[in-house]
């Protein structure tokens, strides 16, 4: 970081911390610097975080002036334990706090995790673990006075990551979301699922374990529903309150894919392409635009960073109708109850960090450290 030290000496910046992490997957250590133009505890602007990749690219998280959402803490080094991430934190006077965890490529920061908490709620998202969890805790009232007790409600679901490199991420977590009383273990019914993006198509890959295979007797929706089948649920406009779409995919005795809309999208389109690679392995190709609509303005998060509403379900029949559902959400699948699907841009392993979360900018040779404060 000779560039930084020369600039700091020339402009009078104070170095707060400097450490190294491997942030872009090339096996080389990258530099992380946090600096300010005020001594610690002085001034009204937040510190600036500067990341210098070993490949030569430099990016800065600007100080943000006195904005309420400005990052107000220097990151700390956390080495080891799998892919290394840079975690940035901020907090407010009312008790809320949140963090954003990023990795990098040569184009800039990539979102790999978030967390947030206040007095009543907490939430965490990890694209490395492909998991999102929420916890709400509120005081219960008895009459007009609080009795000191607390109600806690927890929810978990998968955020299935579809890298834009064409290389799938690991398998996403799954839960038995319905019919647990009929489920005798993973030997009875299990689901492994991952996804990847190639061009304008995202491919969902599902592998089942089933002790008793039931195929569709014909191509009707009733026959598909009564067979072992895959269901894909998503929200047509990318938010949980818009029209739910439900696709069903099964196979015949001859291994021919049969698909149907259990809940049809608003526009008349045929079901997407499905391939049964083996009797327990199916792949479905979905246009990215179907499941991740574009943002209407630059100020609106397109949803790619934290994922659009999406649930993948294996429906186990055992010849007696639907008996067990194994899915990427701990809740019974249905409208407004979704997991998520996070689709990375083409060529990138994780979604790009949306500017509304934290503002990063590329640092050129002529950029001054002082210009990055605001």
């Amino acid at each position: 970081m000779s560039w930084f030290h020369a600039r700091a000496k020339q402009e009078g910046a104070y170095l707060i911390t400097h450490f190294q992490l491997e942030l872009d997957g090339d096996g080389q250590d990258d530099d992380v610097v946090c600096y300010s133009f005020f001594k610690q505890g002085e001034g009204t602007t937040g510190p600036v975080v500067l990341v210098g990749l070993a490949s030569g690219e430099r990016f800065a998280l600007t100080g943000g002036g006195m904005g309420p959402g400005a990052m107000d803490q220097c990151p700390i080094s956390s080495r080891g334990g799998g892919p290394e991430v840079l975690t940035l934190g901020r907090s407010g006077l009312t008790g809320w706090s949140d963090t954003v965890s990023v990795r990098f490529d040569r184009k800039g920061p990539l979102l790999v995790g978030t967390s947030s908490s206040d007095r009543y709620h907490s939430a965490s998202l990890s694209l490395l673990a492909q998991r999102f969890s929420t916890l709400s805790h509120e005081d219960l009232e008895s009459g007009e006075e609080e009795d000191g007790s607390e109600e806690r409600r927890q929810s978990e679901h998968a955020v299935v990551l579809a890298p834009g490199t064409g290389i799938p991420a690991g398998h996403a977590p799954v839960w038995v979301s319905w019919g647990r009383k009929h489920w005798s273990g993973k030997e009875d019914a299990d689901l492994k699922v991952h996804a990847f993006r190639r061009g304008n198509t995202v491919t969902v890959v599902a592998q089942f374990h089933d002790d008793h295979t039931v195929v569709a007797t014909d191509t009707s929706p009733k026959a598909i529903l009564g067979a072992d089948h895959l269901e894909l649920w998503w929200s047509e406009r990318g938010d949980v309150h818009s029209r739910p779409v439900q696709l069903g995919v099964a196979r015949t005795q001859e291994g021919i894919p049969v698909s149907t809309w259990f809940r049809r999208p608003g526009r008349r389109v045929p079901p997407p392409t499905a391939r049964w690679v083996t009797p327990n392995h199916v792949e479905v190709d979905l246009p990215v635009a179907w499941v991740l609509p574009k943002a209407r303005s630059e100020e609106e998060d397109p949803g790619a960073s934290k994922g659009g509403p999406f649930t993948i379900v294996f429906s186990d029949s055992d010849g007696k109708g639907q008996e067990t559902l194994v899915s990427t959400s701990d809740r019974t699948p249905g409208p407004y109850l979704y997991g998520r699907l996070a689709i990375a841009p083409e060529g990138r392993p994780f979604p790009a960090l949306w500017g509304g979360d934290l503002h990063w900018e590329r640092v050129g040779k002529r950029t001054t450290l002082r210009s990055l404060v605001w």
Side-chain angles (χ1 to χ4, degrees):
M1 290 297 286
S2 57
W3 176 89
F4 168 79
H5 292 299
R7 288 285 187 181
K9 183 177 181 180
Q10 181 180 1
E11 298 182 43
Y14 292 96
L15 174 65
I16 302 174
T17 186
H18 174 209
F19 54 88
Q20 291 184 316
L21 295 170
E22 197 289 298
L23 293 173
D24 60 354
D26 66 357
Q28 301 183 73
D29 283 340
D30 306 302
D31 289 287
V32 179
V33 166
C34 185
Y35 72 90
S36 175
F37 280 92
F38 300 95
K39 292 182 178 179
Q40 202 160 2
E42 299 179 357
T44 56
T45 60
V48 177
V49 177
L50 188 67
V51 173
L53 301 181
S55 56
E57 289 81 5
R58 293 187 289 265
F59 303 94
L61 173 64
T62 58
M66 294 183 290
M71 190 279 296
D72 58 1
Q73 307 162 24
C74 281
I76 60 174
S77 175
S78 55
R79 303 219 67 165
E84 294 179 338
V85 301
L86 178 64
T87 299
L88 305 150
R90 52 188 174 181
S91 58
L93 296 176
T94 57
W96 66 267
S97 63
D98 65 11
T99 66
V100 175
S101 297
V102 296
R103 284 182 61 79
F104 285 81
D105 62 10
R106 293 190 174 189
K107 294 181 180 179
L110 301 165
L111 179 72
V112 296
T114 64
S115 69
S116 62
S117 65
D118 57 26
R119 179 181 174 185
Y120 299 110
H121 307 90
S122 61
S124 64
L125 176 148
S126 171
L127 290 180
L128 295 173
Q130 299 188 74
R131 184 183 294 262
F132 180 78
S133 61
T134 61
L135 176 65
S136 64
H137 36 90
E138 300 182 7
D139 292 332
L140 297 176
E141 296 185 0
S142 176
E144 296 181 355
E145 298 182 359
E146 294 184 357
D147 63 5
S149 61
E150 192 177 72
E151 181 182 18
R152 297 166 65 88
R153 296 187 299 274
Q154 187 169 5
S155 174
E156 287 190 299
H157 58 246
V159 184
V160 179
L161 174 63
T165 57
I167 302 172
H171 294 124
V174 296
W175 294 261
V176 177
S177 57
W178 182 83
R180 181 171 286 274
K181 65 181 180 180
H182 302 297
W183 187 68
S184 58
K186 291 185 176 181
E187 298 77 14
D188 179 18
D190 195 20
L191 169 67
K192 292 182 178 179
V193 63
H194 59 251
F196 59 89
R197 174 181 184 166
R198 284 180 180 161
N200 294 321
T201 300
V202 59
T203 299
V204 175
V205 180
Q207 296 169 288
F208 315 125
H209 185 91
D210 187 9
D211 62 350
H212 179 62
T213 301
V214 179
V215 298
T217 55
D218 56 54
T219 61
S220 67
K222 182 178 179 180
I224 294 173
L225 188 64
D228 295 329
H229 65 276
L230 181 75
E231 293 183 11
L232 302 181
W233 290 76
W234 68 90
S235 181
E236 192 166 35
R237 292 195 301 273
D239 64 84
V240 297
H241 301 295
S242 62
R243 179 196 296 269
V245 178
Q246 181 187 7
L247 173 73
V249 181
R251 60 183 290 271
T252 65
Q253 186 66 48
E254 296 75 25
I256 298 172
V258 286
S259 304
T260 190
W261 296 116
F262 292 136
R263 295 174 185 263
R264 183 178 293 276
R267 51 186 175 179
R268 287 194 168 274
V269 292
T273 300
R275 296 177 298 278
W276 286 92
V277 180
T278 70
N280 294 312
H281 178 146
V282 62
E283 300 179 358
V284 182
D285 295 332
L286 294 170
V288 170
W290 283 13
V291 294
L292 197 66
K294 294 182 179 179
R296 290 185 291 271
S297 69
E298 292 183 358
E299 289 74 27
E300 181 186 8
D301 184 356
S305 57
K306 298 182 179 64
F310 197 90
T311 302
I312 304 168
V313 183
F314 169 48
S315 175
D316 182 34
S317 173
D318 284 351
K320 304 173 183 177
Q322 284 187 302
E323 283 199 338
T324 305
L325 301 181
V326 183
S327 66
T328 55
S329 175
D330 67 346
R331 305 292 180 90
T332 302
Y336 320 125
L337 297 173
Y338 297 99
R340 295 184 181 184
L341 176 65
I343 304 175
E346 288 187 72
R348 309 187 76 179
F350 295 98
L353 182 69
W354 178 56
D357 290 323
L358 291 170
H359 179 67
W360 288 82
E361 63 180 71
R362 186 180 290 271
V363 177
K365 291 183 178 180
R366 297 184 179 181
T367 303
T368 64
L369 299 181
R370 192 172 295 274
S371 69
L372 299 173
V373 173
W374 292 90

